[in-house]
Amino acid sequence: MKIEAIALREIHMKLKAPFETSFGTVQNRRILLVEVVADGASGWGEVTAAETPAYNAETTDTAWHVISDFIAPSVVGKSVVEASELPPLMARIRGHEMAKSGVENALWDAAAQLKGVPLHKLLGGTMQEIPCGVSLGIRENPQSLVKKVEEELRSGYQRIKLKIKPGKDYEFVAAVRKEFPNIRLSVDANSAYSLDDAAHLKKLDKFGLLMIEQPLDWDDIHIHAKLQAQIQTAICLDECIHNTRHALTAIELKSCRIINIKLGRVSGHTEARLMQEMCRKRDVPVWCGGMLESGIGRAHNIAMSTLPGFTLPGDVSASQRYWSEDIIEPGVEVTAKGTIRVPNTPGLGYAVRRDRIEKLTVRRRNWDARHATSEAASTVRTESC
């Protein structure tokens, strides 16, 4: 496949409701979309970086810079046999996994279309339906949280994840567990605690949680081993894990018993496949985490979640939970039994709504190897929609 062109777009989308975590609240999303044209096929990827460097060091603007000034110029015009050969072309760029993921995943989509197969089959996926969970932001009080959990359970979700932070944890979890004693329940701290809070976190053991996700420092695998030794609840690592080496280190140090794989955080499908296979061989369950993606990022998450190592319900949920109108059709839907049926048409399996994307676009940049005599790149800015 020859990478003939790349188009980078920033779109603005508004969540149906604010989403609060331990590091802030978001409602207006600035999302970067990457379109890669390879051998005439157009594939799409999404950069899952947030607007601020609160989750990790990347942001919407750093990803725009890295793709514009380093990734796109270095890969446009290059040829690869398989999409998995793209990461070496970006290897001289350290970090910036989310920027890399947006480009690589778009190429995977194009490759699946060229082969005439669904993306999940090209990746090696085996499931035709994936189990779904839902992630709930921090609420103002336990009563409103219980009400929201009840609503999501009526929608069929198989696992409920509660965002927590100091002061909004024990009582909130206790209220949910009292009302729903048998549901699959987990919590996510997004690095809000320290090892000094071990005794407090140990109190959560009584609620029979599936996991507590990333309770301590975002960049410290070793300290989680100290906490895991003191609590019964399984720790799941998220922000700490950027590649398969990190995951293996965490497993060998006994820092966690579960790993969350986010496509953007691990730089794309190639590394995600390696990570889930390594974890599968060691009987460590993995699942797909979410980053408030549009339908394009959500479609990639669905494809990844069909791989055999993904044994727990992920954060892949219905489009309508987040967006009044998505940028794919049909929107992602969850069945009454809490699953998503995996599409079987070539590529992502969902149609990208170019007209909708154009209306939401506030800036774009293009690179095209097919027109060698023209400028290598052009930038267009439009008013925010």
Side-chain angles (χ1 to χ4, degrees):
M1 295 180 292
K2 182 176 181 180
I3 302 172
E4 299 169 325
I6 292 178
L8 177 63
R9 297 174 175 85
E10 178 180 334
I11 66 171
H12 289 181
M13 295 180 71
K14 185 175 182 178
L15 292 163
K16 292 172 74 172
F19 190 84
E20 182 180 350
T21 68
S22 62
F23 47 69
T25 302
V26 62
Q27 184 165 20
N28 296 302
R29 289 284 285 120
R30 296 173 57 204
I31 296 171
L32 299 188
L33 301 178
V34 182
E35 182 182 9
V36 171
V37 179
D39 289 354
S42 178
W44 290 81
E46 179 172 336
V47 177
T48 58
E51 292 75 13
T52 67
Y55 170 78
N56 64 2
E58 291 185 79
T59 69
T60 308
D61 289 319
T62 65
W64 182 278
H65 161 56
V66 169
I67 293 173
S68 296
D69 295 344
F70 301 102
I71 297 177
S74 68
V75 303
V76 168
K78 300 293 176 59
S79 294
V80 294
V81 176
E82 304 289 347
S84 59
E85 296 177 7
L86 186 62
L89 297 181
M90 302 184 287
R92 294 185 66 182
I93 302 167
R94 294 189 179 184
H96 299 283
E97 291 87 359
M98 290 178 170
K100 293 174 180 176
S101 176
V103 178
E104 185 196 323
N105 293 348
L107 185 61
W108 275 98
D109 178 21
Q113 293 178 49
L114 289 169
K115 292 178 182 292
V117 299
L119 175 58
H120 74 275
K121 287 192 177 298
L122 184 61
L123 292 170
T126 58
M127 289 184 272
Q128 291 300 312
E129 286 187 74
I130 62 168
C132 301
V134 67
S135 177
L136 301 183
I138 295 170
R139 301 278 157 169
E140 58 274 16
N141 56 62
Q143 293 73 32
S144 64
L145 180 60
V146 168
K147 183 177 179 181
K148 185 61 178 176
V149 170
E150 183 178 20
E151 177 185 323
E152 300 296 354
L153 289 172
R154 285 199 302 267
S155 298
Y157 289 104
Q158 296 186 20
R159 184 226 64 204
I160 301 292
K161 182 173 81 173
L162 311 177
K163 295 287 188 177
I164 61 171
K165 65 180 182 180
K168 288 196 171 183
D169 45 26
Y170 184 87
E171 291 183 358
F172 287 70
V173 179
V176 172
R177 182 52 91 196
K178 180 180 179 180
E179 190 70 22
F180 308 103
N182 299 315
I183 66 170
R184 187 177 276 179
L185 184 65
S186 66
V187 298
D188 183 5
N190 291 115
S191 307
Y193 300 87
S194 74
L195 193 59
D196 292 338
D197 298 309
H200 178 68
L201 293 172
K202 186 173 176 57
K203 294 177 182 178
L204 298 177
D205 284 344
K206 68 182 292 185
F207 300 121
L209 300 176
L210 175 64
M211 69 185 89
I212 177 170
E213 188 178 350
Q214 196 70 40
L216 309 180
D217 291 340
W218 67 274
D219 59 350
D220 195 330
I221 294 174
H222 177 248
I223 199 171
H224 281 92
K226 294 183 177 182
L227 178 62
Q228 184 66 92
Q230 298 180 54
I231 64 175
Q232 295 175 11
T233 305
I235 289 177
C236 170
L237 288 184
D238 174 0
E239 288 96 321
C240 283
I241 309 299
H242 292 262
N243 51 56
T244 304
R245 299 188 312 280
H246 289 169
L248 180 58
T249 298
I251 292 168
E252 292 186 344
L253 288 177
K254 299 182 179 179
S255 300
C256 64
R257 299 182 198 141
I258 300 170
I259 287 179
N260 170 352
I261 298 181
K262 290 179 177 172
L263 270 172
R265 199 193 68 239
V266 305
S267 77
H269 283 301
T270 301
E271 190 67 25
R273 291 201 306 170
L274 294 172
M275 190 179 297
Q276 66 86 31
E277 179 63 13
M278 183 277 293
C279 290
R280 188 182 66 82
K281 289 180 177 178
R282 289 163 177 78
D283 295 320
V284 174
V286 304
W287 56 280
C288 173
M291 290 292 293
L292 300 176
E293 294 92 345
S294 76
I296 289 174
R298 205 168 297 270
H300 278 286
N301 287 345
I302 292 169
M304 178 181 69
S305 298
T306 66
L307 292 167
F310 286 80
T311 57
L312 297 176
D315 285 342
V316 189
S317 47
S319 294
Q320 64 179 1
R321 285 199 72 252
Y322 299 101
W323 313 112
S324 297
E325 188 177 4
D326 209 338
I327 59 173
I328 59 169
E329 57 183 7
V332 175
E333 296 181 350
V334 174
T335 69
K337 61 179 182 178
T339 62
I340 293 174
R341 296 188 180 96
V342 182
N344 280 302
T345 52
L348 283 180
Y350 297 87
V352 174
R353 296 181 55 191
R354 287 182 176 273
D355 58 340
R356 171 84 173 141
I357 290 172
E358 286 300 322
K359 290 179 180 178
L360 297 173
T361 296
V362 297
R363 60 172 168 166
R364 76 188 75 189
R365 194 167 185 188
N366 304 303
W367 295 261
D368 198 330
R370 298 168 296 187
H371 305 293
T373 58
S374 65
E375 286 187 84
S378 60
T379 303
V380 177
R381 291 182 181 274
T382 61
E383 293 299 320
S384 177
C385 300

